[in-house]
Amino acid sequence: MEIRYNKLCEEIINRAVIIGTQLRNEFITPEHVMMAFLENEEFCEILTECGGDIDLLKTELSLYVSKEIDSIDGDEAYTPQCSFLLEKILNMAYRNATNSDRDEITCSMVFQAMSSIEESHLSYYLAKANIDPTEVLIYMIDDMDEEDDDDDDEDAEESRMSHKDDWKKMVTCLNEHVNDHNPLIGRSDELERTMEVLCRKEKNNPLHIGEPGVGKTSIAYGLAAMIERGAVPEPLKGTKIYSLDLGNLLAGTQYRGEFEKRLKTVMKGVSREENSIIYIDEIHNLVGAGQTGEGSLDASNMLKPYFEDGSIRFIGSTTYEEFNRYFSKNKGLARRFQNIEILAPSNSETVTIIKGLQENYENFHHVKYDEGVVEYAVDMADKYINERFFPDKAIDLIDEAGAYRQLHPVAGETQPVGKDIINLILAKICRVDSFELKADESKNLASLEQRILTKIYGQNEAVEKIVTSVQLSKAGLLDDNKPISSLLFVGPTGVGKTEIARVLANELGIKLIRFDMSEYTEKHTVAKLIGSPAGYVGYEDGGLLTDEIRKTPHCVLLLDEIEKAHSDIYNILLQVMDYATLTDNKGHKADFRNVILIMTSNAGAQYAKQASVGFNSNVSLGSAMLSQVKKTFKPEFINRLSSIVTFNDMDETMASKIVKKKLGELSQKLEPKKVTLKLSDEATEYILKHGITKEYGAREIERVITSQLKTLLTKEILFGKLKEGGEANIIVENNELKLK
């Protein structure tokens, strides 16, 4: 593809050569080209519009080319040479055209290339004349380049005039769609502040900043509705609010300059309208939008003249995160807006909002919400839905409950939506078993201790402490900004510390999340829990602990063998136990308010023998270890625990029940093999005798059953008399387990 200079650009470069020849300069420089630009009326108007001092620029350029550039003596004819810098500039303009798949080099490309070289005399003179090349370039792309095209095709202007309202296809008039959006309820203070800013003479652009779902877009629609009703101050009456969709503007822009022209077309179209406001949702997307390469402009820079002018007012909305990450870093953009913070409404305000919308959702879903459902939905959303904000999360709950009833209708004309459906939706969203949300939760909690004791033996005191802490939380008597319970289980190995956490999770109908703290003994491994710092491998993956809690906010969190963890982990847990939050490497917070935190410890196991020495002979292993735990953990850590639960040592009664339980589990595994397990009293006593030990607890029982009983059965099932099933009678013979 052949690339050439367009008509106007070629004229300006030829004029630069003529100026250099008349001054008998040896070289044609960028300053000569700029002098040629200044002879163009359209370019001078653009500089004036941008606040540039044209006279000063002309004077400085004339002095420079006459005094600083070498001249040729004599009167003979000669051809001036192109300077090295000008050659570089023209090559840059050529590459711009090539990269943009254009077949012409335009004036804007040449000017952009000239102004991009900062360490030059021309850049110095432009700055001295108060000329911002960025702003000049915006007008050149739209005016000079476009006008030159019109010279080549006179019908182009007529065609554009016939489609002068095409810009409306790239925007949405909110005034015309207020009935398609939920009405705005409340937010009177935010609306008043927005209108105050819009009525200012300068910097009349409000910027709504708030968390996702708090109603920033609804405020824009609410303002449009007020304008349509005439309930606004006189300066805002008759105003049209147009929503600018950057994605729509960018779609299909293949060539350099297309996006710029579309945006300028919209701005010109809006400027022709009296009293217009442009609403830009997710306004942080302006930064970088439409930028195609080095030296090119993004949407934020292209719109700066309009932000400053004040004739077209803008309303923007963004979140705190995007504002800090993108918007605030562009100082020239941020200073042109007035920040208005949009906070999430309170529970009572959310109830008022939803009751105002209730009829709309009832008509849409053809349902009837029961009395008290709205209040219940708001309370449940506040309690169980984390990382989302009112009113959005409560509205979503009401909306989905209506959709559920549509999919599961009941007999009768009226389709009711009750609290039970809210519970079902919450169980799906929050991954909580329906037990957690049932109305008869109190009955289930009352029997929780008895149900756990049927599966955990000999730890009545420990179970009582655990159940009591859970019941206190459910009764609402504990701090709402702390985990349900923070427990430290202390006791010798094999007495059921880990097992009780598993049973508790099952009985409550929530998930058990377990972390083995022996994996986090090194300092560098601590970062795995909350995510690696920026620049390190795995930064994008997030933290193991924070991600798990965000995915499953209602759970039993088990940190096994906490004493083996690095000391930095204790500092992390202080925040969790105090404020029920943990911030990961990306600044996202994990909510621990609905977490039962359980930590197990074998600290002091090496001092366990102290329990049976001298005057301490009546002291249990757990109690002896408890005194060592207080030496192992810092006071500030222990002080934040809800309770320290001491587990009893393994005794004969506990061991007997565990043996019975383990044999029962083994019998269930043998049923598919059609094998019936029967043990003589001597065999049961043999397992109990060899399995009971204070040092190893129930794990010793498991080892005896595995090494002797299971090994015996395995050989007979695979190769012996039990291959086809049958009855396995286990007896003791010669101090060994035998199959009768």
Coordinates of all heavy atoms in Angstrom, one line a residue, residues 379-440:
D379 N -32.4 -8.8 56.8 CA -31.6 -9.3 58.0 C -30.8 -10.5 57.6 O -29.6 -10.6 57.9 CB -32.6 -9.7 59.1 CG -33.2 -8.5 59.8 OD1 -32.7 -7.4 59.6 OD2 -34.3 -8.7 60.4
M380 N -31.3 -11.4 56.8 CA -30.6 -12.6 56.3 C -29.4 -12.2 55.4 O -28.4 -12.7 55.4 CB -31.5 -13.6 55.7 CG -32.5 -14.3 56.6 SD -31.7 -15.3 57.9 CE -31.7 -14.3 59.3
A381 N -29.7 -11.2 54.5 CA -28.7 -10.8 53.6 C -27.5 -10.1 54.3 O -26.4 -10.3 54.0 CB -29.3 -9.8 52.6
D382 N -27.9 -9.3 55.4 CA -26.9 -8.7 56.2 C -26.0 -9.7 56.9 O -24.8 -9.5 57.1 CB -27.5 -7.7 57.2 CG -26.5 -7.0 58.0 OD1 -25.5 -6.5 57.4 OD2 -26.8 -6.8 59.2
K383 N -26.6 -10.8 57.4 CA -26.0 -11.8 58.2 C -25.1 -12.7 57.4 O -24.0 -13.1 57.8 CB -27.0 -12.5 59.0 CG -26.4 -13.5 60.0 CD -27.5 -14.2 60.8 CE -26.9 -15.2 61.8 NZ -28.0 -15.8 62.6
Y384 N -25.7 -13.1 56.2 CA -25.0 -14.3 55.5 C -24.4 -13.9 54.2 O -23.5 -14.7 53.7 CB -26.1 -15.3 55.2 CG -26.6 -16.0 56.5 CD1 -27.8 -15.8 57.0 CD2 -25.7 -17.0 57.1 CE1 -28.2 -16.4 58.2 CE2 -26.2 -17.6 58.3 CZ -27.4 -17.3 58.8 OH -27.8 -17.9 60.0
I385 N -24.7 -12.8 53.5 CA -24.1 -12.5 52.2 C -23.0 -11.5 52.5 O -23.3 -10.3 52.8 CB -25.2 -11.9 51.3 CG1 -26.3 -12.9 51.0 CG2 -24.5 -11.6 49.9 CD1 -27.4 -12.5 50.1
N386 N -21.8 -11.9 52.3 CA -20.6 -11.0 52.5 C -20.1 -10.5 51.2 O -20.4 -11.0 50.1 CB -19.5 -11.8 53.3 CG -20.0 -12.4 54.5 OD1 -20.8 -11.8 55.3 ND2 -19.7 -13.6 54.8
E387 N -19.3 -9.5 51.3 CA -18.6 -8.9 50.2 C -19.5 -8.3 49.1 O -19.1 -8.0 48.0 CB -17.7 -9.9 49.5 CG -16.5 -10.3 50.3 CD -15.4 -11.0 49.5 OE1 -15.8 -11.6 48.5 OE2 -14.3 -10.9 49.8
R388 N -20.8 -8.1 49.5 CA -21.7 -7.3 48.7 C -22.4 -6.3 49.6 O -22.3 -6.4 50.8 CB -22.7 -8.3 48.0 CG -22.0 -9.2 46.9 CD -23.0 -10.1 46.3 NE -24.1 -9.4 45.6 CZ -25.2 -10.0 45.1 NH1 -25.3 -11.3 45.3 NH2 -26.1 -9.3 44.5
F389 N -23.1 -5.4 48.9 CA -23.6 -4.3 49.7 C -25.1 -4.0 49.5 O -25.7 -4.4 48.4 CB -22.8 -3.0 49.3 CG -21.3 -3.1 49.5 CD1 -20.5 -3.6 48.5 CD2 -20.8 -2.8 50.7 CE1 -19.1 -3.8 48.7 CE2 -19.4 -2.9 51.0 CZ -18.6 -3.5 50.0
F390 N -25.7 -3.4 50.5 CA -27.1 -3.0 50.4 C -27.1 -1.8 49.5 O -26.2 -1.0 49.4 CB -27.6 -2.5 51.8 CG -28.0 -3.7 52.7 CD1 -27.7 -3.6 54.1 CD2 -28.6 -4.8 52.2 CE1 -28.1 -4.6 54.9 CE2 -28.9 -5.9 53.0 CZ -28.7 -5.8 54.4
P391 N -28.3 -1.6 48.8 CA -29.5 -2.5 48.8 C -29.4 -3.7 47.8 O -30.3 -4.5 47.7 CB -30.6 -1.5 48.4 CG -29.9 -0.6 47.4 CD -28.5 -0.4 48.0
D392 N -28.3 -3.7 47.0 CA -28.2 -4.7 45.9 C -28.4 -6.1 46.3 O -29.2 -6.9 45.7 CB -26.9 -4.5 45.2 CG -26.7 -5.3 43.9 OD1 -27.5 -5.1 43.0 OD2 -25.8 -6.2 43.9
K393 N -27.7 -6.5 47.4 CA -27.8 -7.9 47.8 C -29.2 -8.3 48.3 O -29.6 -9.5 48.1 CB -26.7 -8.3 48.8 CG -26.7 -7.5 50.1 CD -25.6 -7.9 51.0 CE -25.6 -7.2 52.4 NZ -24.4 -7.6 53.2
A394 N -29.8 -7.4 49.0 CA -31.2 -7.7 49.5 C -32.2 -7.7 48.3 O -33.1 -8.6 48.3 CB -31.6 -6.7 50.5
I395 N -32.0 -6.8 47.4 CA -32.9 -6.8 46.2 C -32.8 -8.1 45.4 O -33.7 -8.7 44.9 CB -32.6 -5.5 45.3 CG1 -33.1 -4.3 46.1 CG2 -33.4 -5.6 44.0 CD1 -32.7 -3.0 45.3
D396 N -31.5 -8.5 45.2 CA -31.3 -9.8 44.5 C -31.9 -10.9 45.2 O -32.4 -11.9 44.5 CB -29.8 -10.0 44.4 CG -29.1 -9.1 43.4 OD1 -29.8 -8.4 42.6 OD2 -27.9 -9.1 43.3
L397 N -31.9 -11.0 46.5 CA -32.5 -12.0 47.3 C -34.1 -12.1 47.0 O -34.6 -13.1 46.8 CB -32.2 -11.9 48.7 CG -32.4 -13.1 49.7 CD1 -31.7 -14.3 49.2 CD2 -32.0 -12.7 51.1
I398 N -34.7 -10.9 47.1 CA -36.1 -10.8 46.9 C -36.5 -11.2 45.4 O -37.4 -11.9 45.2 CB -36.6 -9.4 47.2 CG1 -36.6 -9.1 48.7 CG2 -38.0 -9.1 46.6 CD1 -37.6 -9.8 49.4
D399 N -35.7 -10.7 44.5 CA -35.9 -11.0 43.1 C -35.8 -12.5 42.8 O -36.7 -13.1 42.1 CB -34.9 -10.2 42.2 CG -35.2 -10.2 40.7 OD1 -36.3 -10.7 40.4 OD2 -34.4 -9.7 40.0
E400 N -34.7 -13.1 43.3 CA -34.6 -14.6 43.0 C -35.6 -15.4 43.7 O -36.0 -16.5 43.2 CB -33.2 -15.0 43.5 CG -32.8 -16.4 43.0 CD -31.3 -16.7 43.0 OE1 -30.5 -15.8 43.1 OE2 -30.9 -17.9 43.0
A401 N -36.1 -15.0 44.9 CA -37.1 -15.7 45.6 C -38.4 -15.7 44.7 O -39.1 -16.7 44.7 CB -37.4 -15.1 47.0
G402 N -38.7 -14.5 44.1 CA -39.9 -14.5 43.2 C -39.7 -15.4 42.0 O -40.6 -16.0 41.6
A403 N -38.5 -15.4 41.5 CA -38.2 -16.3 40.3 C -38.3 -17.8 40.7 O -38.8 -18.6 39.9 CB -36.8 -16.0 39.8
Y404 N -37.9 -18.1 41.9 CA -38.0 -19.5 42.4 C -39.5 -19.9 42.5 O -39.9 -21.0 42.1 CB -37.4 -19.6 43.8 CG -37.5 -21.0 44.4 CD1 -36.6 -22.0 44.2 CD2 -38.6 -21.3 45.2 CE1 -36.7 -23.3 44.7 CE2 -38.7 -22.6 45.8 CZ -37.8 -23.6 45.5 OH -37.9 -24.8 46.1
R405 N -40.4 -19.0 43.0 CA -41.8 -19.4 43.1 C -42.4 -19.5 41.7 O -43.3 -20.4 41.5 CB -42.5 -18.3 43.9 CG -44.0 -18.5 44.0 CD -44.4 -19.9 44.5 NE -44.1 -20.0 45.9 CZ -43.9 -21.2 46.5 NH1 -43.8 -22.3 45.8 NH2 -43.7 -21.3 47.8
Q406 N -41.9 -18.8 40.7 CA -42.4 -19.0 39.3 C -42.0 -20.4 38.8 O -42.8 -21.0 38.1 CB -41.8 -17.9 38.4 CG -42.5 -16.6 38.5 CD -42.1 -15.7 37.3 OE1 -40.9 -15.4 37.2 NE2 -43.0 -15.3 36.5
L407 N -40.9 -20.9 39.1 CA -40.4 -22.2 38.7 C -41.1 -23.3 39.5 O -41.2 -24.4 39.0 CB -38.9 -22.3 38.8 CG -38.1 -21.4 37.9 CD1 -36.6 -21.5 38.2 CD2 -38.3 -21.7 36.5
H408 N -41.5 -23.0 40.7 CA -42.1 -24.0 41.6 C -43.4 -23.5 42.1 O -43.6 -23.1 43.3 CB -41.2 -24.4 42.8 CG -39.8 -24.8 42.3 ND1 -38.8 -24.0 42.1 CD2 -39.4 -26.1 42.1 CE1 -37.7 -24.7 41.7 NE2 -38.1 -26.0 41.7
P409 N -44.5 -23.4 41.2 CA -45.7 -22.8 41.7 C -46.5 -23.7 42.6 O -46.3 -25.0 42.6 CB -46.5 -22.6 40.3 CG -45.9 -23.6 39.4 CD -44.5 -23.8 39.8
V410 N -47.4 -23.2 43.4 CA -48.3 -23.9 44.2 C -49.7 -23.8 43.8 O -50.0 -22.9 43.0 CB -48.1 -23.5 45.7 CG1 -46.7 -23.8 46.2 CG2 -48.4 -22.0 45.9
A411 N -50.6 -24.6 44.3 CA -52.0 -24.5 43.9 C -52.6 -23.2 44.5 O -52.3 -22.8 45.5 CB -52.7 -25.8 44.5
G412 N -53.5 -22.7 43.7 CA -54.2 -21.5 44.1 C -53.8 -20.3 43.2 O -52.9 -20.3 42.4
E413 N -54.7 -19.3 43.3 CA -54.5 -18.1 42.5 C -53.3 -17.3 42.9 O -52.5 -16.8 42.1 CB -55.7 -17.2 42.5 CG -57.0 -17.9 42.0 CD -58.2 -16.9 42.0 OE1 -58.0 -15.8 42.4 OE2 -59.3 -17.4 41.6
T414 N -53.1 -17.2 44.2 CA -51.9 -16.4 44.7 C -50.7 -17.3 44.9 O -50.8 -18.4 45.5 CB -52.3 -15.7 46.0 OG1 -53.5 -14.9 45.9 CG2 -51.2 -14.8 46.5
Q415 N -49.6 -16.8 44.4 CA -48.3 -17.5 44.6 C -47.5 -16.9 45.7 O -46.9 -15.8 45.4 CB -47.5 -17.5 43.3 CG -48.2 -18.3 42.1 CD -48.4 -19.7 42.4 OE1 -47.4 -20.4 42.8 NE2 -49.5 -20.3 42.1
P416 N -47.6 -17.4 46.9 CA -46.9 -16.7 48.0 C -45.4 -17.0 48.0 O -44.9 -18.0 47.6 CB -47.6 -17.4 49.2 CG -47.9 -18.8 48.8 CD -48.3 -18.6 47.3
V417 N -44.7 -16.0 48.5 CA -43.2 -16.1 48.7 C -43.0 -15.9 50.2 O -43.2 -14.8 50.7 CB -42.5 -15.1 47.9 CG1 -41.0 -15.2 48.2 CG2 -42.7 -15.3 46.4
G418 N -42.6 -16.9 50.9 CA -42.4 -16.8 52.3 C -40.9 -16.9 52.7 O -40.0 -16.9 51.9
K419 N -40.7 -17.0 54.1 CA -39.4 -17.0 54.6 C -38.7 -18.3 54.2 O -37.4 -18.3 54.1 CB -39.4 -16.8 56.1 CG -39.9 -15.5 56.6 CD -40.0 -15.4 58.1 CE -40.5 -14.1 58.6 NZ -40.6 -14.0 60.0
D420 N -39.4 -19.4 54.0 CA -38.8 -20.6 53.7 C -38.1 -20.6 52.3 O -37.0 -21.2 52.1 CB -39.8 -21.7 53.6 CG -41.0 -21.4 52.7 OD1 -41.3 -20.2 52.5 OD2 -41.6 -22.4 52.2
I421 N -38.7 -19.8 51.4 CA -38.0 -19.6 50.1 C -36.8 -18.8 50.2 O -35.7 -19.1 49.5 CB -39.0 -19.0 49.1 CG1 -40.2 -20.0 48.8 CG2 -38.3 -18.7 47.7 CD1 -41.2 -19.5 47.8
I422 N -36.8 -17.8 51.0 CA -35.6 -17.0 51.3 C -34.5 -17.8 51.8 O -33.3 -17.7 51.4 CB -35.9 -15.8 52.3 CG1 -37.0 -14.9 51.7 CG2 -34.7 -15.0 52.6 CD1 -36.6 -14.1 50.5
N423 N -34.8 -18.8 52.7 CA -33.8 -19.7 53.3 C -33.3 -20.6 52.2 O -32.0 -20.9 52.2 CB -34.5 -20.5 54.4 CG -34.8 -19.7 55.6 OD1 -34.2 -18.6 55.9 ND2 -35.7 -20.2 56.5
L424 N -34.1 -21.1 51.3 CA -33.6 -21.9 50.2 C -32.6 -21.2 49.3 O -31.6 -21.7 48.9 CB -34.8 -22.5 49.4 CG -35.7 -23.5 50.1 CD1 -36.9 -23.8 49.2 CD2 -34.9 -24.8 50.3
I425 N -33.0 -20.0 49.0 CA -32.1 -19.2 48.1 C -30.8 -18.9 48.8 O -29.7 -19.0 48.3 CB -32.8 -17.9 47.7 CG1 -34.1 -18.1 47.0 CG2 -31.8 -17.0 46.9 CD1 -34.0 -18.9 45.8
L426 N -30.8 -18.6 50.1 CA -29.6 -18.3 50.9 C -28.7 -19.5 51.0 O -27.5 -19.5 50.9 CB -30.0 -17.8 52.3 CG -30.2 -16.3 52.5 CD1 -30.7 -16.1 53.9 CD2 -29.0 -15.5 52.2
A427 N -29.4 -20.7 51.2 CA -28.6 -21.9 51.2 C -27.8 -22.2 49.9 O -26.7 -22.7 50.0 CB -29.6 -23.1 51.5
K428 N -28.4 -21.8 48.8 CA -27.7 -21.9 47.5 C -26.6 -20.9 47.3 O -25.5 -21.2 46.9 CB -28.7 -21.8 46.4 CG -29.8 -22.9 46.3 CD -30.7 -22.6 45.2 CE -31.8 -23.7 45.2 NZ -32.8 -23.4 44.1
I429 N -26.9 -19.7 47.7 CA -25.9 -18.6 47.5 C -24.7 -18.7 48.5 O -23.6 -18.6 48.0 CB -26.6 -17.2 47.7 CG1 -27.7 -17.0 46.7 CG2 -25.6 -16.1 47.7 CD1 -28.5 -15.7 46.9
C430 N -25.0 -19.0 49.7 CA -24.0 -19.0 50.8 C -23.4 -20.4 51.1 O -22.5 -20.5 51.9 CB -24.5 -18.4 52.0 SG -25.3 -16.8 51.8
R431 N -23.9 -21.4 50.4 CA -23.4 -22.8 50.6 C -23.6 -23.2 52.1 O -22.7 -23.7 52.7 CB -22.0 -22.9 50.2 CG -21.7 -22.6 48.7 CD -20.3 -22.7 48.4 NE -20.0 -22.3 47.0 CZ -18.8 -22.3 46.5 NH1 -17.8 -22.8 47.1 NH2 -18.6 -21.8 45.2
V432 N -24.7 -22.8 52.7 CA -25.1 -23.2 54.0 C -26.1 -24.2 54.0 O -27.1 -24.1 53.3 CB -25.5 -21.9 54.8 CG1 -25.8 -22.3 56.3 CG2 -24.5 -20.8 54.7
D433 N -26.0 -25.2 54.8 CA -27.0 -26.2 54.9 C -28.3 -25.6 55.5 O -28.3 -24.7 56.3 CB -26.6 -27.4 55.9 CG -27.5 -28.5 55.8 OD1 -28.5 -28.6 56.6 OD2 -27.3 -29.5 55.0
S434 N -29.4 -26.1 55.0 CA -30.7 -25.5 55.4 C -30.9 -25.5 57.0 O -31.7 -24.7 57.5 CB -31.9 -26.2 54.8 OG -31.8 -27.6 55.1
F435 N -30.2 -26.4 57.7 CA -30.3 -26.4 59.2 C -30.0 -25.0 59.7 O -30.6 -24.5 60.7 CB -29.4 -27.5 59.8 CG -29.1 -27.2 61.2 CD1 -30.0 -27.6 62.2 CD2 -27.9 -26.7 61.6 CE1 -29.7 -27.3 63.5 CE2 -27.6 -26.4 62.9 CZ -28.6 -26.8 63.9
E436 N -29.0 -24.4 59.2 CA -28.5 -23.2 59.7 C -29.6 -22.1 59.6 O -29.5 -21.1 60.3 CB -27.2 -22.8 58.9 CG -26.6 -21.5 59.3 CD -25.8 -21.7 60.5 OE1 -25.6 -22.8 61.1 OE2 -25.2 -20.6 61.0
L437 N -30.5 -22.3 58.7 CA -31.5 -21.2 58.4 C -32.9 -21.6 58.8 O -33.8 -20.8 58.6 CB -31.4 -20.9 56.9 CG -30.1 -20.5 56.3 CD1 -30.1 -20.6 54.8 CD2 -29.6 -19.2 56.8
K438 N -33.1 -22.7 59.3 CA -34.4 -23.2 59.7 C -35.0 -22.4 60.8 O -34.3 -21.9 61.7 CB -34.4 -24.7 60.0 CG -34.3 -25.6 58.8 CD -34.3 -27.0 59.3 CE -34.1 -28.0 58.0 NZ -34.0 -29.4 58.5
A439 N -36.3 -22.3 60.8 CA -37.0 -21.5 61.9 C -36.9 -22.3 63.2 O -36.9 -21.6 64.3 CB -38.5 -21.3 61.5
D440 N -36.8 -23.6 63.2 CA -36.7 -24.4 64.4 C -35.2 -24.6 64.8 O -34.9 -25.6 65.3 CB -37.4 -25.7 64.3 CG -36.9 -26.6 63.1 OD1 -36.1 -26.1 62.3 OD2 -37.2 -27.8 63.1

